[in-house]
């Protein structure tokens, strides 16, 4: 059997350390030169509840965890139930479970050629006098042997993880690992993955990468408020900002957070915040101030199931309309979306580029899957990414400074942007106001003035749209009969799907607003069948594209609520049924 | 007021089956609150998003709060529960109170109903401070419990405005540059008192008799009663199993969380803690067993005693000063 991928699931409860063991496997894979992706699944409870970790490793880059598991470690059959909708077994799956497990095999763990390997987890630990806390390291050892990976890589990984601990801690963990590794006498019959190149790669989550790339793209101020699944952005950037002279503030709520971001940005510093649905709702009013006062701001929304508290730890694409339309008044903004972990890098550069260049709010729609997946990635290039800087006021030949200058209105090359004077620049004292204003920033209730200013603010979007017309990807054969459109983490599932469905092509926008309309029209031209696939109940992208006139009633709407990623089997079925 | 022995013997409406961490102070507090409120009256709870909500109302686990399989026959013991948004448990509970009052005044409800809000300290003191203070200012007749674990546990143990000086949290990590959180905590007791609360208390179930007495008094309060319950969080503070109650007790005795009771118009009562630092157990006793203070305090291998880490004296001194200042301010209300 030649295969280049392996799919693992670890299922347990708090205390089993499934996520820790899975992370060690990923770190080892990264050391060996393999690629991989890991997602976790858990309820809202903090400790003691069931949790699962899914790992896929591959010799080639991989962005979506595999549907059918080859190796499953289950610490208690009773823990499986919450995950029954999201794990499926390969026909010849191997199951490691506690030796003392008495319960009947749960339905989802059954498979045609199931191989069961009972492991005396507790006895192994007890025999060596190791504490419960060492269990995850021991399990890591067992899995490494099962996969036939070299022991040395595992040992290096452990030394690395515990590098700041005492020698005693390191040696106890090495012992736990050793016991695990030698428990199985040999590798179990799973395909061996040989890395194409032995090089150490990086393991990173979408949230961590968002934070890091934001700083690389020039972000120097962050204010936020914790919320699942976005909090790791704040936690990561906390470490990064002080090193580059930046600052972080944890605000008392999201309203204050975005207020701080606007204040910092007004002061001339590229600034951002990150949140999820409930927080975005609270930020909405001030997104309008950003549009109105033309203060750049980057807002990352790691979408989770909504409305209200929804399902905090699970992804959905239901904030699209919010991002596109929320707020009162005509408020220009740009909306971007990464499709997987590595693309967060490019998206954050794009976000700061657009915000700073066009002086408006830029929303980045990530989601719980992208945010919290850990992926092994190649080095990321920064050259070639857009890195526009804010146009600052450089003097005006003696005429007074006009913050919202319309001097170039009749110049067809003018993109609507007026230079910003940093506070304190001599001779540039001005007002900015959320109330409608004139060129000077003085407030005005003149209806004509309002129309003129709306034109100015939306003029920026015309030029922005021109610049971003090529911000999309096409996967598969562009002349295929069936053309599909998807965005965000759903797009990466479809990217995988089209590799095995040669009659399909996939269009993935990097920017959702302004949408690359012309490119989509080109893509759809000549299609026999077209579908919009998304993970929300109403078909938000579908209706948006219809409102833009880009698709007509013949295009299928394939959508369902979030909470669970699409699997290939489900996509087969959905495409067979055809959409609404 | 009921006799303590009678209260203890009541069946608590807070039933087993929550997914709170084993060793979480919140579940001890809820069990006690469940018994005290189970006084023949119906109770309606308005919950914000916090551990005490997320981990107690969860499907398909057996449900706590007296619902689920073990729902008592007697309707007075069953509960109305409303999980509201994160930021306004007190205001929604206030509206429930108003509704109950209107329905009572027209005779639609015959017996009195107790209205209680529950939030975490993040929910009540950061995003929800407006809600709390304005509810107090309107003298709404509710009891508002705030479970103070000094962090946003639900979202991964980030800093909350009640976080102790020097504590290591996910957003104020102890690093070479920073000794953990250095923002002095919000004076939430003072705020609640000055907003005009009918009763403000800080009590821990580690002092069970006093806890029962204060909560019973709060249920009788004619204005807003606000009760802060210091809640050692085994997962966030990282201490050993079995130390929850002991730490709660030490948190009071060392001055981190003094037991406090102030009824409107009366002098405050401060209990189980000495004003004179020399008579209090040293702060190291409370800090030592918790990993979140590990960068400041360590266990001396020879003596087995907790001691300040060399080089960290200044930070710990700042903590002592903060505690003394806080205690002096509370005593000025006594
Ligand atoms: C508007 C909004 N912002 C953020 C959140 C995310 N959130 C849910 S619970 C929580 C923290 C709760 O902290 P605390 O109130 O101290 O309770 P604990 O979790 O510590 O019990 C946060 C930030 C939310 N639900 N809604
Ligand atoms: S995380 Fe802390 S507060 Fe939350 S349930 Fe666990 S111990 Fe209690």
């Amino acid at each position: 059997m030649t295969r280049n991928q392996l799919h693992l699931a670890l299922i347990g409860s708090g205390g089993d350390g499934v996520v820790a063991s899975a992370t060690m496997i990923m770190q080892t894979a990264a050391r060996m030169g393999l690629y991989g992706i890991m997602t976790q699944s858990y309820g809202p409870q903090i400790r003691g509840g069931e949790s699962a970790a899914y790992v896929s490793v591959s010799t080639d880059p991989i962005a979506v965890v595999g549907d059918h598991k080859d190796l499953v470690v289950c610490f208690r059959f009773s823990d499986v139930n919450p995950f029954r909708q999201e794990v499926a077994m390969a026909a010849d799956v191997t199951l490691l479970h506690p030796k003392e497990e008495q319960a009947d095999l749960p339905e989802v763990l059954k498979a045609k050629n199931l191989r069961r390997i009972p492991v005396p987890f507790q006895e192994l630990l007890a025999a060596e006098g190791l504490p419960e806390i060492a269990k995850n390291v021991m399990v890591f050892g067992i899995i490494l042997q099962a996969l036939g990976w070299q022991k040395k890589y595992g040992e290096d990984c452990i030394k690395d993880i515990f590098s700041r601990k005492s020698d005693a801690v390191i040696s106890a963990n090495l012992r736990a690992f050793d016991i695990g590794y030698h428990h199985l006498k040999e590798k179990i019959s799973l395909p061996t993955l040989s890395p194409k190149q032995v090089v150490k790669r990086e393991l990173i989550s979408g949230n961590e990468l968002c934070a890091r790339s934001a700083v690389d793209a020039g972000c120097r101020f962050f204010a936020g408020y914790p919320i699942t699944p976005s909090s790791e952005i704040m936690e990561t950037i906390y470490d990064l900002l002080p090193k580059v002279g930046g600052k972080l503030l944890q605000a008392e709520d999201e309203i204050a957070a975005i207020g701080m971001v606007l204040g910092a940005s007004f002061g001339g510093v590229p600034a951002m915040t990150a949140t999820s649905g409930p927080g975005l709702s609270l930020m909405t009013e001030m997104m309008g101030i950003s549009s109105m006062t033309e203060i750049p701001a980057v807002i990352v929304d790691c979408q989770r199931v909504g409305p209200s508290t929804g399902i905090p730890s699970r992804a959905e694409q239901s904030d699209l309309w919010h991002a596109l339309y929320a707020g009162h008044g005509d408020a220009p903004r740009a909306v971007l979306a990464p499709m997987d972990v590595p693309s967060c890098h490019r998206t954050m550069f794009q976000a700061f580029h657009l915000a700073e260049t066009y002086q408006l709010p830029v929303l980045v729609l990530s989601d719980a899957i992208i945010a919290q997946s850990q992926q092994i990635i190649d080095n990321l290039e920064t050259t070639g990414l857009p890195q526009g800087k804010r146009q600052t006021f450089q003097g005006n030949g003696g005429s007074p400074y006009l913050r919202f200058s319309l001097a170039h209105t009749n110049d067809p090359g003018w993109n609507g942007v007026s230079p910003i004077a940093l506070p304190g620049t001599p001779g540039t004292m001005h007002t900015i106001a959320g109330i409608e204003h004139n060129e000077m920033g003085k407030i005005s209730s003149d209806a004509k003035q309002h129309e003129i200013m709306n034109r100015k603010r939306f003029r920026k979007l015309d030029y922005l749209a021109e610049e971003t017309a090529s911000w999309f990807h096409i996967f598969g054969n562009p002349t295929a009969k069936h053309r599909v459109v998807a965005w965000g983490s759903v797009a990466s599932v479809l990217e995988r799907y089209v590799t095995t469905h040669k009659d399909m092509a996939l269009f993935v926008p990097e920017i959702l607003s302004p949408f690359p309309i012309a490119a989509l029209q080109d893509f759809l031209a000549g299609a026999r069948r077209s579908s919009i696939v998304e993970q929300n109940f109403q078909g938000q992208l579908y209706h948006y594209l219809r409102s833009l006139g880009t698709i007509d009633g013949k295009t299928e709407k394939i959508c369902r609520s979030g909470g669970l990623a699409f699997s290939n089997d489900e996509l087969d079925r959905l495409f067979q049924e055809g959409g609404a | 007021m009921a006799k303590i022995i009678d209260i203890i013997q009541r069946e608590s409406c807070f039933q087993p089956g929550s997914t709170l961490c084993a060793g979480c102070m919140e579940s001890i507090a809820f069990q006690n609150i469940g018994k005290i409120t189970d006084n023949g009256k119906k109770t309606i709870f308005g919950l914000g998003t916090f551990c005490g909500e997320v981990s107690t109302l969860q499907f398909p686990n057996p449900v706590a709060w007296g619902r689920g399989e073990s729902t008592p026959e007697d309707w007075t013991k069953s509960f109305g529960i409303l999980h509201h948004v994160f930021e306004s448990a007190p205001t929604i509970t206030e509206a429930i109170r108003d509704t109950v009052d209107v329905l009572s005044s027209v005779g639609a409800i015959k017996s009195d109903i107790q209205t209680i809000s529950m939030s975490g300290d993040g929910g009540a003191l950061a995003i929800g401070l407006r809600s709390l203070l304005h509810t107090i200012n309107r003298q709404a007749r509710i009891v508002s419990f705030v479970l103070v674990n000094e962090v946003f546990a639900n979202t991964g143990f980030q800093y909350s405005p009640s976080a102790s000086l020097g504590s290591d949290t996910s957003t104020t990590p102890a690093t070479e540059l920073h000794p953990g959180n250095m923002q002095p905590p919000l004076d939430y007791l003072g705020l609640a008192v000055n907003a005009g609360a009918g009763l403000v208390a800080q009590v821990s179930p580690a002092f069970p008799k006093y806890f029962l007495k204060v909560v019973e008094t709060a249920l009788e309060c004619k204005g807003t009663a606000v009760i802060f319950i210091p809640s050692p969080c085994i997962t966030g503070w990282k201490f050993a199993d079995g130390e929850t109650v002991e730490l709660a007790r030490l948190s009071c005795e060392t001055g981190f969380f003094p037991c406090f009771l102030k009824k409107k118009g009366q002098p405050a009562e401060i209990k189980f803690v000495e004003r004179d630092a020399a008579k209090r157990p040293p702060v190291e006793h409370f800090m030592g067993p918790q990993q979140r203070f590990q960068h400041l305090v360590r266990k001396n291998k020879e003596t087995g005693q907790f001691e300040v880490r060399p080089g960290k004296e200044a930070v710990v001194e700042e903590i002592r000063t903060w505690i003394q200042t806080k205690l002096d301010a509370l005593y000025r209300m006594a």
Side-chain angles (χ1 to χ4, degrees), chain B residues 15 18 24 84 98 114 130 139 166 170 199 249 254 296 325:
Chain B
Q15 298 286 317
S18 79
C24 175
H84 194 42
D98 290 347
Q114 306 175 115
R130 272 183 275 229
Q139 317 279 334
S170 323
L199 177 150
R249 193 177 58 75
T254 53
L296 301 175
T325 314

Side-chain angles (χ1 to χ4, degrees), chain A residues 74-129:
Chain A
C74 177
F75 291 102
R76 243 160 269 99
F77 287 170
S78 56
D79 289 340
V80 173
N81 196 39
F83 310 108
R84 64 191 184 287
Q85 293 171 347
E86 58 193 43
V87 280
M89 303 296 116
D92 48 2
V93 58
T94 302
L95 171 68
L96 302 181
H97 63 79
K99 196 169 174 194
E100 55 279 10
E101 179 66 66
Q102 301 284 334
D104 291 340
L105 188 67
E107 205 51 41
V108 300
L109 296 183
K110 293 185 177 159
K112 205 160 90 210
N113 306 321
L114 172 74
R115 200 160 10 134
R116 288 175 69 156
I117 304 185
V119 182
F121 294 113
Q122 296 307 340
E123 275 171 44
L124 285 174
L125 281 177
E128 287 291 322

Side-chain angles (χ1 to χ4, degrees), chain A residues 225-228 254 278-279 282 304 309, chain B residues 26 49-52 86-87 119-124 127 147 149 151-155 160:
Chain A
Y225 189 70
I227 186 164
T228 306
E254 289 86 351
L282 291 184
R304 64 191 217 184
T309 308
Chain B
E26 296 194 0
T49 313
F50 74 118
C51 281
F86 183 37
E87 54 267 31
S119 336
D121 53 309
I127 194 168
L147 285 291
N149 60 6
V151 279
F152 291 23
N154 245 288
T155 39
S160 126

